[in-house]
């Protein structure tokens, strides 16, 4: 994946003029180093969804069909999670968590906007057209992300799995042959590193806090774990992208995911739950019953006023 | 700076103050009062460790905690629209705004804590209905345009109220307000921008915007508090350099600001009596329904029960989480102490 293709090199050069889309791609550390703070990116270097939309509209960044489909998957994952997490704002166990979960939701929404803006570049669709005017079976998120918040332990269990998975994925995507994917990942990986820290700390607190919290944490993992395998399922698309150096096979993330989550679970004196994996199918538009309700709520106003600007 | 010396020179009412003789206490009191009076005369600042009159402390705890509660309850009407925001950009802005409000609540609770009032107690008073919060949040946010009207008018009124508080005589409060005001001005701008987009959009969008402005106008004006001749606490607060301008003065100034901005929005304010009085050089507005204000204040607004119940529910659902965090922290501290001893 280290040899960028000719077309993507052009993209990289073209896009550096506004927002420096390639910054971070070569310098992003693999994990938690001192320079990896998301808050230290200077405004001029931060990659914003608007930069991507602009690059796409000018034609300086255009995804291949495969990359667009892949960006749609990652964008939908992040969007659906942001929608779920947003519900906690004003309902969290303490004010600090209203802020923390709100921040994580905002990060995810930012990643979603970037990925969707890029995915839309294939057919000239905006992030909002993709978010608000697709139906359930057109969404490509895996089922984990649409799982209900449940109690705080369920949300933390979901966050724990998501953040360790996303970290491993984005870390590798910083080396993508597709400069835009690499740019989005370079920004996202730094933020997701904080999400890992947040969820791991809560796993420890809840698992080792009181009897009640331990019981709930164990229950939370049991509820969430059936949806873990789907994250690491390869298919034809990921095989082609991996061969092209644009992405990696999801299965290749599994060993690192298992090792790193295993370390935290061991410290928390927890076992990986022995539960059957759900069949899944989100990448092909086959979703659980939850997604329909989420989209109904998310899309209602936009669909009442088609074509309106907000 | 203040917190570093909080323990060494305990102020009145703070824990850790040692028993002293009556004579010493009287001398301490007299010296404290003299210092306090000098600070007021110089329009300088009182810090948490300084002596202050009990009534000054009480007034500040009441005002700062009410302000914090308003931020926390005020999250609800806006959080109501996070899931339905009509574009992803608006969703992100709204999330960030509601998150800012949680942050404001935190700074303010922290400022009140420097006066010796624990956050848990303030939160409990809120949930028990003993503490007040800004009445305006007892009105429902019915349409998306309310996100615009709340930002433009409610946050606008808050800014008009709060900018002078940056100079409040109690240091932690004034400093918290500096940061709060910076963020509030972003909030107001985003509200204005929402309304501008709507009022220049489809006819349905424009109507939505006008209706929201109509609904929030009077409650926003009443945010400045009762008319001056019916505001018993104002005079003392002004003498203590907490409050700088009277309720009516701030309200009139705010009306003038809105009159300019509503023209840009191409909307109208639902008040035919607004005029600039050439003699007094002040803006004037039509009569406000103060009976409704008092009704809402007494708990009979459209959303009082809903707002408090939501706060209680979140707090109660979070009890086991806070207990777990405390238990884990205690275990970690014990473990560390044992390791150090070994």
């Amino acid at each position: 994946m280290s040899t960028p293709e000719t077309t993507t090199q052009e993209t990289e050069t073209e896009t550096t003029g506004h927002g420096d889309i390639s910054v971070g791609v070569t310098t992003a550390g693999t994990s938690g180093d001192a320079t990896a703070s998301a808050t230290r990116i200077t405004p001029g270097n931060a990659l914003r969804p608007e930069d991507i939309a602009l690059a796409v509209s000018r034609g300086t960044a255009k995804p291949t069909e495969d990359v667009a489909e892949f960006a749609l998957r990652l964008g939908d994952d992040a969007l659906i999670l942001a929608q779920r997490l947003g519900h906690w704002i004003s309902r969290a166990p303490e004010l600090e968590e209203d802020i923390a979960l709100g921040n994580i939701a905002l990060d995810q929404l930012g990643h979603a906007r970037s990925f969707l803006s890029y995915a839309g570049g294939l057919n000239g669709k905006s992030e909002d057209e993709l978010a608000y005017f697709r139906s359930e079976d057109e969404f490509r998120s895996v089922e984990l992300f649409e799982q209900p918040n449940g109690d705080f332990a369920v949300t933390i269990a979901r966050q724990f799995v998501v953040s360790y998975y996303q970290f491993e994925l984005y870390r590798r995507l910083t080396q993508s042959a597709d400069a835009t994917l690499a740019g989005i990942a370079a920004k996202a990986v730094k933020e997701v590193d904080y999400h890992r820290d947040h969820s791991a700390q809560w796993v420890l607190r809840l698992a080792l806090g009181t009897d009640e919290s331990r019981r709930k944490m164990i229950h939370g993992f049991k509820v969430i774990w059936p949806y873990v395998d789907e994250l690491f399922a390869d298919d034809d698309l990921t095989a082609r992208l991996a061969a092209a150096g644009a992405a990696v096979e999801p299965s290749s993330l599994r060993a690192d995911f298992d090792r790193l989550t295993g370390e935290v679970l061991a410290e928390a004196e927890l076992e990986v739950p022995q539960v059957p994996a759900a069949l899944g199918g989100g990448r092909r538009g086959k979703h659980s019953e939850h997604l329909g309700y989420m989209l109904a709520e998310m899309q209602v106003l936009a669909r009442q006023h088609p074509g309106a600007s907000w | 700076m203040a917190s570093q010396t909080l323990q060494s020179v305990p102020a009145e009412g703070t824990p850790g103050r040692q028993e002293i003789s009556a004579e010493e206490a009287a001398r301490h009191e007299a010296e404290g009062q003299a210092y306090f009076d000098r600070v007021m005369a110089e329009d300088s600042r009182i810090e948490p460790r300084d002596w202050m009159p009990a009534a000054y402390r009480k007034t500040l705890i009441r005002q700062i905690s009410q302000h914090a509660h308003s931020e926390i309850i005020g999250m609800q009407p806006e959080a109501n629209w996070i899931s339905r925001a009509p574009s992803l950009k608006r969703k992100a802005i709204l999330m960030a705004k509601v998150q800012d409000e949680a942050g404001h609540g935190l700074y303010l609770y922290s400022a009140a804590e420097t006066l010796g009032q624990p956050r848990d107690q303030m939160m409990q008073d809120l949930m028990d209905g003993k503490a007040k919060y800004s009445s305006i949040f007892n009105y429902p946010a019915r349409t998306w345009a309310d996100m615009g009207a709340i930002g433009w008018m409610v946050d606008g009124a808050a800014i008009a109220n709060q900018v002078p508080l940056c100079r409040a005589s109690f240091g932690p409060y004034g400093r918290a307000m500096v940061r709060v005001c910076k963020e509030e001005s972003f909030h107001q701008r985003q509200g204005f921008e929402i309304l501008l987009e709507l009022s220049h959009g489809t006819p349905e969008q424009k109507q939505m915007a006008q209706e929201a402005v109509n609904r929030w106008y009077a409650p926003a004006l009443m945010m400045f508090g009762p008319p001056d001749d019916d505001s018993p606490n104002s005079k003392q607060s002004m003498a203590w350099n907490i409050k700088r301008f009277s309720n009516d003065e701030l309200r009139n100034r705010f009306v003038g600001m809105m009159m300019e901005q509503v023209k840009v929005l191409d909307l109208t304010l639902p008040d035919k009596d607004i005029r600039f009085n050439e003699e007094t050089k002040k803006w004037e507005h039509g009569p406000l329904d103060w009976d409704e204000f008092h009704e809402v204040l007494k708990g009979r607004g459209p959303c009082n029960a809903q707002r408090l119940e939501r706060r209680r529910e979140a707090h109660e659902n979070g009890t086991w989480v806070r207990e777990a965090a405390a238990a884990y922290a205690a275990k970690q501290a014990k473990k560390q102490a044992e390791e150090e001893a070994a």
Side-chain angles (χ1 to χ4, degrees):
Chain A
M1 230 174 62
S2 53
T3 323
E5 292 170 348
T6 329
T7 50
T8 51
Q9 267 183 334
E10 278 168 17
T11 306
E12 199 168 332
T13 321
E14 280 296 322
T15 50
T16 46
H18 56 87
D20 201 358
I21 216 162
S22 64
V23 159
V25 177
T26 50
T27 55
T30 48
S31 160
D33 61 285
T35 57
S37 164
T39 54
R40 278 192 207 154
I41 299 176
T42 57
N45 290 338
L47 177 62
R48 302 168 309 142
E50 287 81 1
D51 299 327
I52 295 169
L54 192 66
V56 157
S57 72
R58 284 179 176 170
T60 53
K62 191 173 167 72
T64 63
E65 205 167 310
D66 280 353
V67 166
E69 176 69 12
F70 187 64
L72 195 63
R73 291 179 175 188
L74 304 190
D76 285 348
D77 285 351
L79 174 60
I80 295 303
L81 182 63
Q83 183 75 1
R84 280 290 187 220
L85 289 173
H87 186 77
W88 277 106
I89 303 173
S90 76
R91 292 180 178 89
E94 54 191 12
L95 276 179
E96 286 81 351
E97 277 307 302
D98 278 306
I99 295 173
L101 291 172
N103 224 33
I104 294 170
L106 265 173
D107 287 344
Q108 293 287 336
L109 186 55
H111 308 161
R113 294 184 59 206
S114 292
F115 282 126
L116 293 181
S117 294
Y118 192 40
L122 182 69
N123 296 318
K125 291 200 167 167
S126 70
E127 51 172 316
D128 287 335
E129 284 172 286
L130 290 175
Y132 291 95
F133 293 93
R134 276 182 304 152
S135 57
E136 239 177 294
D137 57 5
E138 293 170 286
F139 271 74
R140 291 291 176 265
S141 46
V142 295
E143 287 188 17
L144 176 71
F145 295 89
E146 66 209 44
Q147 292 309 305
N149 286 340
D151 63 15
F152 187 69
V154 173
T155 289
I156 289 300
R158 191 183 60 203
Q159 269 315 108
F160 182 69
V161 172
V162 165
S163 59
Y164 277 80
Y165 157 75
Q166 285 183 332
F167 184 82
E168 292 308 319
L169 175 62
Y170 294 158
R171 183 165 76 83
R172 286 161 176 83
L173 287 182
T174 60
Q175 305 301 317
S176 171
D178 184 289
T180 307
L181 276 189
I184 299 170
K187 180 169 190 286
V189 72
K190 295 169 187 172
E191 297 174 349
V192 168
D193 198 9
Y194 287 104
H195 306 177
R196 289 199 309 176
D197 188 34
H198 173 264
S199 65
Q201 283 191 47
W202 273 114
V203 166
L204 292 173
R205 284 188 200 111
L206 298 183
L208 304 174
T210 63
D211 290 345
E212 184 186 9
S213 68
R214 182 169 180 81
R215 210 166 50 240
K216 286 185 195 279
M217 191 69 252
I218 290 170
H219 173 256
F221 276 124
K222 222 169 143 181
V223 169
I224 287 302
W225 218 265
Y227 308 99
V228 171
D229 281 0
E230 190 185 5
L231 292 170
F232 302 100
D234 302 335
D235 61 12
D236 292 347
L237 177 74
T238 57
R240 286 195 303 275
L241 288 168
V248 291
E249 291 274 34
S251 60
S252 69
L253 313 174
R254 188 72 197 242
D256 281 342
F257 172 88
D258 284 345
R259 182 173 53 80
L260 293 169
T261 53
E263 284 171 11
V264 179
L265 292 176
E267 195 183 339
E269 297 166 24
L270 295 174
E271 305 275 335
V272 172
Q274 296 304 310
V275 287
L279 189 57
R283 297 291 189 225
R284 299 185 309 279
K286 294 177 191 302
H287 294 278
S288 70
E289 292 168 346
H290 304 300
L291 188 66
Y293 291 93
M294 292 185 75
L295 296 186
E297 187 175 351
M298 185 175 85
Q299 297 175 335
V300 61
L301 180 58
R303 288 191 175 208
Q304 274 169 6
H305 302 267
S309 129
W310 301 93
Chain B
M1 192 177 79
S3 59
Q4 288 166 1
T5 47
L6 192 60
Q7 300 305 316
S8 56
V9 190
E12 182 194 15
T14 53
R17 196 172 181 218
Q18 290 181 359
E19 288 302 318
I20 49 170
S21 72
E23 198 179 311
E24 266 179 297
R27 191 161 47 85
H28 183 76
E29 186 98 351
E31 282 172 7
Q33 183 72 54
Y35 175 74
F36 182 85
D37 292 344
R38 200 161 62 241
V39 168
M40 290 301 128
E42 288 168 358
D43 200 359
S44 170
R45 274 190 160 155
I46 290 292
E47 296 299 335
R49 69 181 188 282
D50 295 336
W51 185 93
M52 63 187 88
Y56 176 84
R57 184 186 301 278
K58 198 177 152 198
T59 294
L60 278 167
I61 290 174
R62 183 179 54 92
Q63 180 170 340
I64 300 172
S65 65
Q66 276 182 17
H67 192 163
H69 298 330
S70 301
E71 297 283 357
I72 300 310
I73 297 293
M75 291 168 73
Q76 292 185 25
E78 294 180 290
N80 184 39
W81 280 95
I82 289 176
S83 65
R84 292 174 292 168
S87 77
L88 296 186
K89 186 180 171 193
R90 290 283 171 215
K91 190 192 283 287
I93 293 170
L94 186 59
M95 267 189 195
K97 177 177 195 279
V98 182
Q99 192 199 25
D100 279 352
E101 282 153 11
H104 297 174
L106 267 183
Y107 314 144
L108 290 161
Y109 284 128
S110 303
E113 282 190 308
T114 67
L115 291 158
Q117 185 79 332
R119 200 212 298 185
D120 288 351
Q121 183 60 51
M122 292 184 266
M123 199 55 98
Q124 196 59 50
D125 288 347
L126 171 64
M127 290 183 296
D128 291 346
K130 286 185 199 161
K132 298 236 175 328
Y133 55 87
S134 184
S135 251
I136 197 152
F137 300 118
N138 291 316
Y139 289 90
R142 289 213 290 260
T143 71
W144 171 253
D146 291 39
M147 298 303 96
I150 289 176
W152 180 48
M153 300 167 107
V154 177
D155 294 332
I159 293 169
N161 239 333
Q162 291 168 7
V163 166
L165 287 174
C166 297
R167 293 188 288 128
S169 58
F170 186 58
Y173 191 30
R175 288 188 289 270
M177 292 319 300
V178 171
R179 190 159 173 185
V180 169
C181 283
K182 279 184 191 164
E183 293 181 349
E184 289 293 351
S185 70
F186 276 111
H187 295 179
Q188 196 206 9
R189 251 185 281 170
Q190 68 84 37
F192 183 82
E193 201 187 281
I194 288 175
L195 290 177
L196 190 67
E197 193 79 42
L198 292 176
S199 68
H200 292 77
T202 66
E204 292 81 11
Q205 284 179 306
K206 182 164 185 179
Q207 189 188 345
M208 195 195 286
Q210 183 62 60
E211 283 172 4
V213 168
N214 293 351
R215 274 184 285 119
W216 290 93
Y217 169 76
L221 254 55
M222 289 193 267
M223 282 176 72
F224 294 94
D228 293 347
D229 51 16
D230 187 27
S231 181
N233 299 325
S234 286
K235 211 177 153 196
Q236 179 63 74
S237 283
M238 288 175 86
W240 278 333
N241 298 342
I242 299 172
K243 198 173 168 65
R244 301 285 177 171
F245 302 99
S246 80
N247 294 352
D248 286 334
E249 209 170 336
L250 289 170
R251 185 166 21 242
N252 293 340
R253 201 183 287 176
F254 176 64
V255 168
M257 263 168 49
M258 285 207 301
M259 274 306 277
E260 286 306 309
Q261 295 176 3
V262 81
K263 288 181 209 156
V264 183
L265 289 176
D266 195 21
L267 296 172
T268 55
L269 295 176
D271 183 345
K272 291 189 193 69
D273 301 327
I274 297 179
R275 66 179 196 115
F276 186 73
N277 186 326
E278 288 294 347
E279 268 173 44
T280 60
K281 300 286 175 207
K282 279 178 184 171
W283 284 89
E284 290 172 359
H285 57 83
L288 294 167
D289 184 356
W290 290 104
D291 289 341
E292 180 180 306
F293 177 81
H294 289 295
E295 283 295 293
V296 179
L297 207 60
K298 280 178 199 151
R300 290 191 279 269
C303 301
N304 297 58
Q306 178 194 336
R307 300 285 186 241
L308 275 190
E309 182 52 26
R310 162 90 161 270
R311 181 90 295 275
R312 271 187 222 114
E313 198 185 356
H315 191 77
E316 281 163 19
N317 287 344
T319 303
W320 68 271
V321 178
R322 295 188 301 275
E323 285 170 359
Y328 178 74
K331 282 178 193 170
Q332 290 299 104
K334 195 177 161 209
K335 207 164 114 188
Q336 201 184 340
E338 282 167 3
E339 279 167 9
E340 276 167 17

